[in-house]
């Protein structure tokens, strides 16, 4: 099990990755934040939105992120929001481990996505995701609170941010409450496209 643990998110210039309430998902600010991904060929193919779409480096990054992911972990808030919005064939196509206090049988969807509900903590969810991923990577899909738990626990190897030219002013900050005394970063890559700037960092214990 040699895969890395990573996260990959879009972030506004003032540090937010989502609106404050689930009801504001799919609202104007969130749509502006994610605007860069909607026209991409791989995104359209993965969600079965029809043919066509843009290629180029943005498209390559989205495809590479998908291909490296052998399993995902997410929090209950993200799952609840996604359950309302994902198509029947959810876009993961791998096992997904949901950190929750709820006891629930696995939920299998068409296309290879099965949600497993883990009620004994983030490390248990990660252990199960590692086993499922094999030699591929585990993606901490979100939301922000779940990502932060993994960062503060020293369980993230690297992360990527697509920095989008939009301001939120309020919402869920990616690093709100981070234990900066424990986390050191090394920049691995920085790439820009006409829509966003992609930055990738390795995470080390300070």
């Amino acid at each position: 099990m040699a895969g890395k643990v990573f996260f990959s998110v879009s972030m506004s210039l003032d540090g937010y990755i989502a609106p404050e309430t689930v009801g504001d998902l799919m609202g104007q600010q969130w749509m502006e934040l994610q605007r860069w991904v909607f026209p991409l060929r791989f995104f359209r193919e993965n969600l079965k939105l029809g043919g066509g779409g843009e290629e180029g480096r943005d498209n390559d990054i989205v495809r590479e992120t998908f291909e490296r992911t052998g399993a995902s972990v997410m929090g209950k808030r993200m799952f609840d929001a996604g359950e309302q919005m994902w198509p029947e064939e959810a876009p993961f196509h791998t096992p997904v481990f949901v950190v929750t206090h709820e006891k629930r049988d696995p939920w299998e969807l068409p296309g290879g996505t099965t949600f497993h509900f883990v009620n004994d903590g983030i490390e248990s969810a990660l252990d199960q995701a590692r086993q499922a991923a094999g030699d591929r990577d585990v993606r901490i899909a979100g939301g922000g609170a779940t990502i932060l738990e993994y960062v503060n626990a020293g369980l993230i190897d690297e992360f990527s941010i697509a920095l989008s030219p939009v301001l939120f002013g309020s919402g869920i900050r990616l690093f709100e409450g981070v234990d900066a005394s424990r986390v050191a970063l090394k920049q691995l890559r920085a790439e820009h496209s006409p829509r966003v700037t992609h930055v990738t960092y390795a995470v080390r214990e300070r």
Side-chain angles (χ1 to χ4, degrees):
M1 293 186 292
K4 294 179 179 178
V5 180
F6 79 103
F7 66 86
S8 178
V9 296
S10 297
M11 187 175 76
S12 70
L13 286 177
D14 51 349
Y16 296 94
I17 61 170
E20 192 67 50
T21 65
V22 172
D24 289 328
L25 286 171
M26 305 301 287
Q28 180 180 352
Q29 283 183 314
W30 189 88
M31 294 294 285
E32 290 177 354
L33 179 69
Q34 304 291 350
R35 181 182 294 161
W36 69 277
V37 79
F38 296 137
L40 303 180
R41 176 182 290 273
F42 183 83
F43 179 84
R44 292 181 56 80
E45 290 175 350
N46 193 33
L47 270 73
K48 299 191 181 304
L49 299 176
E54 297 179 6
E55 300 190 15
R57 188 59 187 139
D58 285 340
N59 188 66
D60 291 344
I61 287 172
V62 172
R63 176 177 46 79
E64 289 163 5
T65 300
F66 175 86
E67 289 176 348
R68 70 183 285 193
T69 302
S72 296
V73 176
M74 70 177 59
K76 184 64 161 52
R77 182 180 187 272
M78 181 177 178
F79 173 80
D80 287 344
E83 190 175 16
Q84 303 171 36
M85 296 187 299
W86 293 318
E88 182 184 10
E89 190 171 313
F92 302 97
H93 307 292
T94 62
V96 179
F97 296 85
V98 181
V99 181
T100 179
H101 296 296
E102 177 185 8
K103 292 187 177 180
R104 179 172 168 179
D105 291 334
W107 182 34
E108 185 175 352
L109 296 179
T113 300
T114 300
F115 293 96
H116 303 269
F117 300 90
V118 181
N119 55 28
D120 55 349
I122 64 170
E123 293 194 17
S124 176
L126 180 57
D127 287 344
Q128 293 178 58
R130 282 186 186 276
Q131 284 196 337
D135 60 357
R136 295 166 72 192
D137 296 337
V138 173
R139 181 179 185 178
I140 309 302
T146 301
I147 288 172
L148 187 67
E149 282 191 83
Y150 280 97
V151 171
N152 283 342
L155 297 172
I156 298 292
D157 297 311
E158 69 177 47
F159 64 88
S160 296
I161 294 171
L163 195 59
S164 192
V166 59
L167 299 173
F168 265 41
S170 64
I172 296 176
R173 284 187 182 273
L174 177 57
F175 293 115
E176 187 74 42
V178 70
D179 185 356
S181 67
R182 293 193 59 191
V183 180
L185 305 177
K186 177 184 178 182
Q187 184 162 302
L188 298 179
R189 289 181 298 282
E191 303 176 75
H192 69 87
S193 76
R195 290 194 177 94
V196 290
T197 299
H198 301 276
V199 288
T200 301
Y201 300 92
V203 183
R204 301 172 178 173
E205 187 169 351
R206 188 182 293 277

